[in-house]
Amino acid sequence: METISIKLKPKKREVKIYSGTDAFIKASRLVNNVYIKKVVISNPTVWNKWEGYFKEHIKNFTLFLMPDGERFKNYKTVHKIYDFLVSISATRKSLIIAFGGGVIGDIAGFVASTYHRGIPIIHIPTTLLAQVDSSIGGKTGYNLKEGKNLIGSFYQPEFIISDPLFLDTLPQKEFLSGFAEVIKAGCIKDNKLFCLIEKNLEKVIRRDKHVLSNIITKAQKVKINVVQKDEREEGLRAILNFGHTLGHAIEVQKKWRVSHGFAVAAGIAFASFLSYKESGLSEEELLRILKLLKKVGYSLNYNLDKTQLGNVLLKDKKKKEETVEWVLLERIGKAIYGIKIDIEQIVHRIVEFENYLKHRKNFIS
Ligand SMILES: NC(=O)c1ccc[n+]([C@@H]2O[C@H](COP(=O)([O-])OP(=O)(O)OC[C@H]3O[C@@H](n4cnc5c(N)ncnc54)[C@H](O)[C@@H]3O)[C@@H](O)[C@H]2O)c1
């Protein structure tokens, strides 16, 4: 197990991540020793798989299970949790334990940030996405019917326990969906992480604990590094959106039938091509990225409807004024953000990218 620290400047707060093999066993002692009243928030999918193991290590808690699924990340669930906390007389000294994927972490985090004006929470993320991304950085929230994550807060947990053991039961589709964020981390800020993934791809896909643990810790450090410099998303934190601009358009055009990570992977592929055209990424590095994504099994092209694309991209909440801002790469491990490119140019580049993929088929697969 490795202990990594997120040092947040304004309030001089430090959030520790206990990360790696056996992290849960080791850090659960802290949970038992320090907190008396504990409320675990999870869902039946995760709980049915891990109840026995969880109870072996964490003692004396009450349990709230919310239904599984993004569609339950809403105010009704938030209010049910408030009611539950009131019914068990939870106070500001009680601890919430978010045990699950990003949905659980986001909603439990929001509840923790608002109940009694804020009570302590720890995250025990059980998906790859939650371990490398959503549990880190303090963003919490829930969805309105008008859009995702429209209500939320910034609220840091006491600490995070990230144990790769929990990934053992994660369906492969969910695993690969989270893995796109790991590849993203390498692309934007850690060339060594990218090389490590290239070199050990088969072991990662097989979920070899040693390699996986190493890669997860490195991806977590990328996110920590960015959040430490820009906790409130005022600038640099935008680089975490690499691949997400087109990724989001794919999700919308395909009516959310393409899972988030797969859409992001195709978004990374296009943003890398755009980087080759606009920001100096070499063709050799572009091909390495495309090759890696392809090898994992992601589709690089979803044949988007070009006539609708402008509207979809302009509605993206990350847009400023009438232009769409992109995160691009100068090289693997170095991203730049706030690059404005007009919509016609983007559509032209997408067509160009589709042709490029056809001509480079043999290089990429
Ligand atoms: N707060 C942030 O900074 C941030 C960042 C990125 C994403 N998010 C949010 O995260 C959410 C997506 O998170 P996610 O991808 O973890 O999805 P998720 O929480 O829906 O989990 C995916 C599926 O895997 C199941 N699952 C979780 N752990 C499991 C395990 N160990 N074994 C078997 N099944 C398991 C879940 O029950 C669910 O069915 C979205 O709501 C998104 O908005 C938040």
Side-chain angles (χ1 to χ4, degrees):
M1 181 184 82
E2 188 175 339
T3 307
I4 329 169
S5 242
I6 313 173
K7 294 198 176 90
L8 298 159
K9 270 187 214 138
K11 293 183 200 144
K12 293 219 159 63
R13 263 214 62 193
E14 192 177 56
V15 179
K16 286 200 164 73
I17 305 182
Y18 301 103
S19 181
T21 321
D22 288 341
F24 179 67
I25 295 182
K26 288 178 184 151
S28 60
R29 287 182 209 129
L30 271 177
V31 182
N32 290 321
N33 293 344
V34 179
Y35 300 94
I36 301 184
K37 190 162 212 160
K38 302 183 274 293
V39 183
V40 174
I41 300 180
S42 189
N43 71 29
T45 312
V46 176
W47 195 246
N48 288 342
K49 294 190 158 60
W50 291 99
E51 176 181 3
Y53 186 70
F54 192 95
K55 282 181 172 168
E56 259 178 56
H57 299 284
I58 292 189
K59 307 290 176 195
N60 303 324
F61 58 85
T62 43
L63 175 68
F64 182 93
L65 292 180
M66 65 170 273
D68 188 1
E70 180 74 34
R71 70 182 193 284
F72 297 104
K73 200 175 117 178
N74 59 26
Y75 77 92
K76 280 190 187 155
T77 308
V78 169
H79 281 265
K80 278 183 190 157
I81 305 175
Y82 289 150
D83 289 346
F84 180 76
L85 292 175
V86 170
S87 77
I88 59 162
S89 309
T91 67
R92 221 176 264 167
K93 287 193 177 133
S94 310
L95 173 77
I96 289 185
I97 302 176
F99 183 54
V103 167
I104 296 284
D106 275 11
I107 209 159
F110 182 79
V111 167
S113 75
T114 45
Y115 183 77
H116 281 218
R117 298 195 176 84
I119 65 171
I121 179 168
I122 65 164
H123 288 289
I124 308 181
T126 61
T127 63
L128 183 54
L129 178 125
Q131 294 194 351
V132 299
D133 190 358
S134 63
S135 68
I136 304 170
K139 277 193 190 174
T140 80
Y142 63 88
N143 306 329
L144 297 182
K145 66 178 186 330
E146 290 78 9
K148 279 186 72 176
N149 301 320
L150 290 186
I151 308 293
S153 60
F154 285 96
Y155 194 66
Q156 297 294 343
E158 301 301 293
F159 53 88
I160 299 162
I161 304 174
S162 167
D163 194 322
L165 178 73
F166 293 121
L167 306 182
D168 277 357
T169 55
L170 195 63
Q172 189 67 353
K173 193 175 148 228
E174 293 298 341
F175 180 82
L176 293 183
S177 194
F179 191 51
E181 300 291 347
V182 179
I183 295 176
K184 177 200 79 181
C187 286
I188 59 172
K189 235 180 179 326
D190 190 347
N191 178 41
K192 282 190 188 147
L193 169 59
F194 190 89
C195 296
L196 199 70
I197 299 169
E198 273 181 321
K199 211 170 136 200
N200 294 284
L201 188 61
E202 270 148 38
K203 286 188 184 158
V204 177
I205 304 289
R206 273 197 274 117
R207 305 189 204 181
D208 173 293
K209 283 272 173 339
H210 178 70
V211 175
L212 193 55
S213 182
N214 192 5
I215 278 173
I216 289 173
T217 311
K218 285 194 159 52
Q220 288 169 335
K221 284 180 181 165
V222 168
K223 177 126 190 208
I224 290 167
N225 192 288
V226 173
V227 169
Q228 271 174 180
K229 290 184 181 133
D230 177 22
E231 189 187 357
R232 297 281 165 144
E233 204 163 22
E234 285 154 355
L236 180 74
R237 196 162 171 164
I239 68 169
L240 298 171
N241 291 329
F242 180 64
H244 285 60
T245 308
L246 193 75
H248 178 65
I250 294 170
E251 286 180 293
V252 172
Q253 274 210 1
K254 299 294 166 189
K255 300 199 168 31
W256 311 98
R257 282 190 292 263
V258 177
S259 74
H260 180 70
F262 283 67
V264 167
I268 291 175
F270 175 67
S272 302
F273 179 75
L274 205 53
S275 304
Y276 161 55
K277 292 287 175 184
E278 310 276 346
S279 62
L281 182 74
S282 70
E283 186 169 26
E284 185 215 330
E285 293 205 321
L286 166 67
L287 287 168
R288 277 173 63 199
I289 296 170
L290 298 180
K291 235 178 178 163
L292 179 67
L293 294 168
K294 191 86 191 135
K295 236 173 152 181
V296 177
Y298 300 121
S299 172
L300 304 186
N301 174 24
Y302 282 92
N303 293 313
L304 295 175
D305 175 353
K306 317 295 179 295
T307 56
Q308 296 297 318
L309 197 60
N311 287 341
V312 178
L313 284 171
L314 285 168
K315 271 187 208 139
D316 190 306
K317 68 177 175 183
K318 281 146 211 146
K319 76 158 186 156
K320 284 203 180 135
E321 297 139 15
E322 281 308 297
T323 52
V324 178
E325 291 189 1
W326 291 80
V327 180
L328 299 179
L329 301 179
E330 287 182 348
R331 54 185 154 77
I332 295 176
K334 172 88 178 76
I336 47 174
Y337 60 94
I339 311 301
K340 293 181 182 176
I341 303 177
D342 76 48
I343 219 71
E344 268 175 40
Q345 175 76 342
I346 292 300
V347 173
H348 164 75
R349 291 289 188 215
I350 287 183
V351 175
E352 211 181 344
F353 178 54
E354 288 174 354
N355 288 328
Y356 183 84
L357 287 178
K358 277 182 206 144
H359 290 113
R360 297 285 165 155
K361 225 179 186 163
N362 296 337
F363 280 99
I364 295 162
S365 54

